[in-house]
Amino acid sequence: MTTKLMGQKVQRVEDQRFLRGQGRYLDDLALDAGTLHAAVLRSPHAHARILDIDVSGVLDVEGVHAVYTYDDLVGPMAEPLPLLIPHPALTHGRTQHALARDEVNYVGEAVAFVVADDRYVAEDAVARIRVDYEPLPPVVGVEAARAAQHLVHDDVPGNVGARLEQLVGDAPAAIAAAPHRLELDLTVERSACTPLEGRGTVARWDADLGRLVVWTSTQSSTGVRAAVAVKMGLDLGQVDVITPDVGGGFGVKINHPWPEELLVPMAARLLGRTVKFTEDRREHFISSAHERGQVQHVEVGFDDDGRLLGLDVEFWHDHGAYTPYGLIVPIITSTQLLGPYKPQNYRVVFESLYTNTVMVTPYRGAGRPQGCYAMERTMDAIAAYLGKDRADVRAVNFIQPDEFPYDQGLVFQDGRELEYDSGDYPASLEKIKALVGWDEFPAFRAEMAAQGRRVGIGLACYVEGTGVGPYEGAHVHIETSGKVKVATGLTTQGQGHATVFAQLVADELGVRFEDVEVVTGDTRRMPYAVGTFASRAAVMSGSAIHLAAKRAKEKVLRIAADALEANEDDLEIVDGVVSVKGSPGTSIDLGTVSVLSNPLRYAFDEASKAATQFSVGDPGRPPVAEDDEPGLEGKDFYSPERATFASGMHAVVVETDPDTAEIRILKYAVVHDCGHLINPMIVEGQIHGGVAQGVGGALYERMAYDESGQLLNASFMDFLMPYVTEVPDGIDIDHLETPSPLNPLGIKGAGEAGVIPSAAVFAAAIEDAEGIPIRAMPISPSELFHLREAHGG
């Protein structure tokens, strides 16, 4: 039998191409010699009225083909960009225009769009545009937004875009009656993902066919397609969107459409030329999306064992100047905050606030790091108050294995019940304690103290909702060569989809792994899809591909059984050959089965001759039955009833320098449960990458705005990111597999696992080393130094 590939560490098939410099990213596309290039004039003000835009100095610049401002936009293009995810609580949702109309609301907002022979000319032309602004008072940060002395949008009272409250039981009463009570005030600063490749779009209009082709670096090719069609007044079938190789997404490329994803196709159609835009690094800092910024207030009541009796959380979320992605981030914070625990009584309320800063959309973790931070800091505070082991306090609050499925009584981001499908949190805790040496740490601390060194240990637990709907689809096509072509609509940004999806198909069809080719993010191949985000690719597309392969296999066996005059139940497929079990000589290869699946009138070669009307078929029945179709294909969709919930625990040992307050990672350990593993090596790679981003988010990365709304660190000279020297040298990883009952593969998502608990686990470890409460993240050596001073250290 063919070796099963599910669960095997199969080498990624993508890597050789990338390592040899053969990747094809957006900026690598050279579609024709006459391609025009675009540049964007962006607002230098965080908040200002536009009094006048003078483009006269641009019109006579040699090489400039067009300059557009808001006044040049017509029809749907002149309307605000879509609010992608409406929600009843989002009472004052606002989105920007493709080009600013009347007012700008953050530094970097698009004001004018120039198309020229090359980017150099376009940039020079942008510099000649004169805009008369009337500066307005900017609102920067949560504190200023709450104070509401000034408004971001005149028609949004108090800068409050949304207020949402969810209740389970009576938390205030339970806290008031509890034997012990605590309050915590916590802060998580604004940060952002910085993918190697910024945003970019290329478009070409075919006037003869009335058809538009768009190439864009996105996490949702079908979403971009729908938005472009609507805004340009085209039928969906007139627009093709192709996503080439993407040099990192991490959430920033799930927002769609970006202004340039509309302006580039618009210009291509109007000018009759291919038009290209690629974002530079400063543009990415000041005009792409940010995330994370929240201020939190926690009240908790608990008993002598540390058991939660009531939990009341209020937080304020900075969503920036606009809300195109709705309330997804704060809703996830408010619901995923509960982690693996059951607080009995829970109240959470948040306000999502406007500020004159870059808008917020999900960044890897998508609200979960903030929620995990609030909950895990609370657990540590309870343990410190009671003088108990931090792991023991967590254990007493765990949902137990026999309590699944467990309904937390809340509504999740997808509008479905927050019901955990499976897990074993006590087992994960024992694994992480063993992996990091939790019980042995006191002896290690004493040993280090004898050498004058400060060390601390931290632990953080999380639950991650993955595989949210509404659906994903797949198409599996067995060629006459015996090769298998697989198409799914979600996009790829380095997750290893071409490998793991090929593993699934090879297993189900019984073909060689190397004979499976996977295509993602091309609306010509799969027009119905949602996108790549929320750790959903394996759950959603993986399940759809598995189901589509099953459909293809059913047809293979039916046709082969007829050709071999055998019973379908007696057939097996091994290495692409269908044979009678126990009689390998009675066989037919998949390529021949594919030929036979398509009744032909004409013979193009010897193989197709076998499928012509005088070679096969029963004269007494139609060549293609009523319930059949030509070809050897399978197509299916997977739509879950609700999300599936992965989980994990991280632990870290850090050393803090007594003089410089520098923070050094000595050991990092992860236990992760994403159900059945398709490819453990790729899962571990996801965890490694997530941990690296988590280290950055906890210790280095922040978006630093001044009071006027200017981003002070909009370059890699000033925005700190961890190098390989700052990321843990070796990450100890162990897996737990509690299969999900919600999908045919028993899998859960893994993509965001590595980053979710980072702020919480580092805060815990640093607090343990220093004996100083850590209530704001990220934390730098200078901030730790000043904290020491404030606490007399």
Side-chain angles (χ1 to χ4, degrees):
M1 292 291 291
T2 304
T3 303
K4 282 291 182 183
L5 297 176
M6 176 84 170
Q8 300 301 308
K9 292 186 174 182
V10 176
Q11 289 283 343
R12 287 168 38 117
V13 299
E14 302 93 332
D15 290 348
Q16 285 301 314
R17 184 164 60 86
F18 293 132
L19 291 172
R20 296 175 188 274
Q22 296 170 346
R24 294 283 290 167
Y25 300 93
L26 193 286
D27 202 46
D28 293 323
L29 300 179
L31 299 175
D32 56 64
T35 296
L36 303 178
H37 296 259
V40 180
L41 174 67
R42 301 189 182 279
S43 168
H45 299 284
H47 198 193
R49 288 193 185 92
I50 300 173
L51 303 180
D52 182 61
I53 304 177
D54 181 2
V55 300
S56 59
V58 178
L59 300 178
D60 60 352
V61 174
E62 185 177 354
V64 170
H65 290 257
V67 56
Y68 304 102
T69 67
Y70 175 79
D71 290 340
D72 298 301
L73 306 181
V74 297
M77 280 291 295
E79 298 170 0
L81 301 185
L83 200 165
L84 294 168
I85 306 178
H87 190 281
L90 185 55
T91 52
H92 295 79
R94 298 292 182 271
T95 61
Q96 68 190 90
H97 292 81
L99 293 169
R101 186 191 73 175
D102 302 332
E103 186 173 294
V104 290
N105 285 297
Y106 63 93
V107 172
E109 185 163 358
V111 175
F113 188 74
V114 175
V115 182
D117 284 340
D118 57 47
R119 182 64 176 263
Y120 302 99
V121 174
E123 293 283 3
D124 289 345
V126 161
R128 292 181 175 223
I129 299 173
R130 296 290 174 257
V131 183
D132 187 7
Y133 293 102
E134 178 189 344
L136 299 170
V139 178
V140 181
V142 169
E143 184 178 338
R146 291 181 65 192
Q149 291 182 352
H150 304 290
L151 298 180
V152 176
H153 302 287
D154 290 340
D155 59 347
V156 180
N159 293 311
V160 179
R163 184 182 187 278
L164 180 61
E165 181 176 11
Q166 293 203 60
L167 303 167
V168 178
D170 190 339
I175 294 169
H180 309 286
R181 294 176 294 280
L182 283 173
E183 294 187 30
L184 288 83
D185 288 298
L186 305 166
T187 303
V188 179
E189 290 191 44
R190 176 181 278 235
S191 185
C193 50
T194 51
L196 286 175
E197 180 198 30
R199 298 179 293 110
T201 302
V202 178
R204 182 169 60 199
W205 171 255
D206 189 320
D208 293 332
L209 297 178
R211 194 169 191 83
L212 180 71
V213 183
V214 180
W215 293 260
T216 187
S217 183
T218 183
Q219 292 174 235
S220 180
S221 52
T222 52
V224 173
R225 181 195 192 204
V228 168
V230 167
K231 288 295 187 180
M232 294 187 62
L234 298 171
D235 292 337
L236 202 60
Q238 290 179 275
V239 182
D240 295 319
V241 174
I242 303 164
T243 302
D245 292 327
V246 175
F250 309 117
V252 70
K253 295 176 184 176
I254 188 57
N255 186 66
H256 58 274
W258 290 100
E260 299 83 3
E261 286 175 323
L262 298 177
L263 296 169
V264 169
M266 179 193 78
R269 186 182 185 185
L270 291 173
L271 299 173
R273 299 275 292 275
T274 301
V275 177
K276 180 178 186 178
F277 166 79
T278 55
E279 178 184 65
D280 67 32
R281 185 53 58 180
R282 176 171 169 77
E283 283 182 297
H284 189 82
F285 274 106
I286 67 169
S287 62
S288 292
H290 299 169
E291 220 246 66
R292 302 289 194 251
Q294 287 184 5
V295 173
Q296 306 167 335
H297 179 73
V298 180
E299 297 182 19
V300 62
F302 50 97
D303 64 17
D304 293 341
D305 294 322
R307 184 175 289 104
L308 297 173
L309 301 176
L311 181 65
D312 196 338
V313 178
E314 187 171 8
F315 68 90
W316 296 266
H317 174 72
D318 177 354
H319 65 224
Y322 300 106
T323 54
Y325 218 73
L327 300 177
I328 292 298
V329 173
I331 288 175
I332 292 175
T333 297
S334 66
T335 53
Q336 298 277 257
L337 183 149
L338 294 177
Y341 311 115
K342 44 183 180 180
Q344 302 182 52
N345 298 280
Y346 178 53
R347 171 185 176 267
V348 62
V349 58
F350 69 76
E351 287 185 344
S352 198
L353 303 172
Y354 284 103
T355 60
N356 288 117
T357 55
V358 175
M359 67 186 182
V360 164
T361 66
Y363 164 30
R364 196 176 193 176
R368 297 176 185 88
Q370 301 95 308
C372 180
Y373 174 68
M375 188 76 255
E376 295 302 294
R377 291 280 66 211
T378 300
M379 285 292 173
D380 288 338
I382 292 171
Y385 178 90
L386 295 173
K388 288 185 171 293
D389 186 289
R390 289 169 286 169
D392 292 343
V393 169
R394 286 166 169 81
V396 79
N397 286 288
F398 281 153
I399 299 164
Q400 296 302 305
D402 61 358
E403 295 182 284
F404 290 98
Y406 189 87
D407 189 349
Q408 289 280 20
L410 302 174
V411 177
F412 192 42
Q413 61 144 316
D414 56 358
R416 306 296 180 93
E417 300 86 357
L418 187 73
E419 182 177 296
Y420 298 175
D421 48 326
S422 65
D424 189 340
Y425 308 136
S428 289
L429 183 63
E430 291 309 308
K431 281 179 174 287
I432 195 70
K433 288 174 65 177
L435 208 56
V436 78
W438 183 267
D439 293 335
E440 296 76 31
F441 185 75
F444 177 71
R445 188 202 300 273
E447 179 186 336
M448 293 294 101
Q451 301 174 26
R453 298 170 65 182
R454 298 182 186 180
V455 295
I457 192 169
L459 169 69
C461 311
Y462 66 91
V463 170
E464 178 195 0
T466 73
V468 296
Y471 73 90
E472 286 295 341
H475 180 256
V476 174
H477 180 205
I478 302 170
E479 298 277 6
T480 56
S481 64
K483 301 291 181 69
V484 182
K485 303 295 176 67
V486 181
T488 187
L490 55 68
T491 59
T492 296
Q493 302 94 48
Q495 297 93 334
H497 294 158
T499 303
V500 295
F501 293 159
Q503 287 179 248
L504 297 176
V505 172
D507 273 358
E508 185 59 37
L509 282 181
V511 299
R512 298 187 310 160
F513 172 77
E514 53 268 31
D515 286 340
V516 183
E517 176 193 280
V518 178
V519 173
T520 62
D522 187 337
T523 62
R524 299 169 304 177
R525 297 284 297 274
M526 176 52 71
Y528 297 102
V530 180
T532 303
F533 56 93
S535 301
R536 68 192 300 274
V539 176
M540 300 299 300
S541 276
S543 295
I545 286 168
H546 171 75
L547 295 172
K550 285 179 72 73
R551 284 187 177 273
K553 183 179 181 179
E554 290 169 1
K555 189 167 186 179
V556 166
L557 296 177
R558 174 165 54 81
I559 295 172
D562 189 51
L564 297 173
E565 298 182 345
N567 190 293
E568 291 180 35
D569 296 336
D570 294 331
L571 300 180
E572 63 181 357
I573 311 174
V574 179
D575 289 338
V577 176
V578 189
S579 61
V580 177
K581 298 172 187 175
S583 180
T586 309
S587 63
I588 184 172
D589 63 75
L590 278 182
T592 302
V593 177
S594 180
V595 169
L596 296 177
S597 71
N598 182 19
L600 297 174
R601 179 176 179 83
Y602 307 109
F604 304 106
D605 54 20
E606 286 302 312
S608 60
K609 182 179 178 181
T612 56
Q613 56 195 328
F614 297 110
S615 301
V616 296
D618 182 347
R621 63 185 186 191
V624 180
E626 285 186 11
D627 58 350
D628 202 0
E629 59 185 38
L632 202 53
E633 306 172 50
K635 186 177 181 180
D636 214 329
F637 292 84
Y638 171 70
S639 181
E641 54 187 276
R642 61 180 180 277
T644 182
F645 288 85
S647 63
M649 300 180 189
H650 289 208
V652 67
V653 177
V654 303
E655 179 179 3
T656 57
D657 190 285
D659 298 318
T660 66
E662 289 179 282
I663 301 156
R664 180 180 167 216
I665 302 168
L666 301 182
K667 186 178 182 65
Y668 203 102
V670 176
V671 172
H672 186 243
D673 176 8
C674 60
H676 288 148
L677 301 175
I678 301 175
N679 187 319
M681 182 170 60
I682 285 180
V683 172
E684 289 175 12
Q686 289 275 24
I687 291 171
H688 278 248
V691 168
Q693 281 186 300
V695 170
L699 304 180
Y700 300 98
E701 299 170 5
R702 70 185 75 200
M703 289 296 177
Y705 280 97
D706 67 12
E707 62 183 12
S708 66
Q710 295 292 334
L711 188 59
L712 300 178
N713 58 338
S715 77
F716 285 145
M717 291 290 289
D718 303 299
F719 180 82
L720 299 181
M721 292 188 355
Y723 295 166
V724 68
T725 49
E726 282 76 51
V727 176
D729 221 3
I731 301 172
D732 296 318
I733 300 175
D734 197 0
H735 298 285
L736 189 72
E737 294 189 49
T738 61
S740 172
L742 300 179
N743 61 73
L745 297 170
I747 57 179
K748 309 173 188 178
E752 295 167 277
V755 77
I756 292 170
S758 301
V761 76
F762 278 105
I766 295 165
E767 182 174 282
D768 186 51
E770 295 285 326
I772 299 172
I774 305 297
R775 298 288 186 261
M777 293 296 279
I779 188 168
S780 67
S782 62
E783 287 164 330
L784 180 55
F785 184 86
H786 291 308
L787 273 176
R788 286 175 177 173
E789 288 184 326
H791 286 80

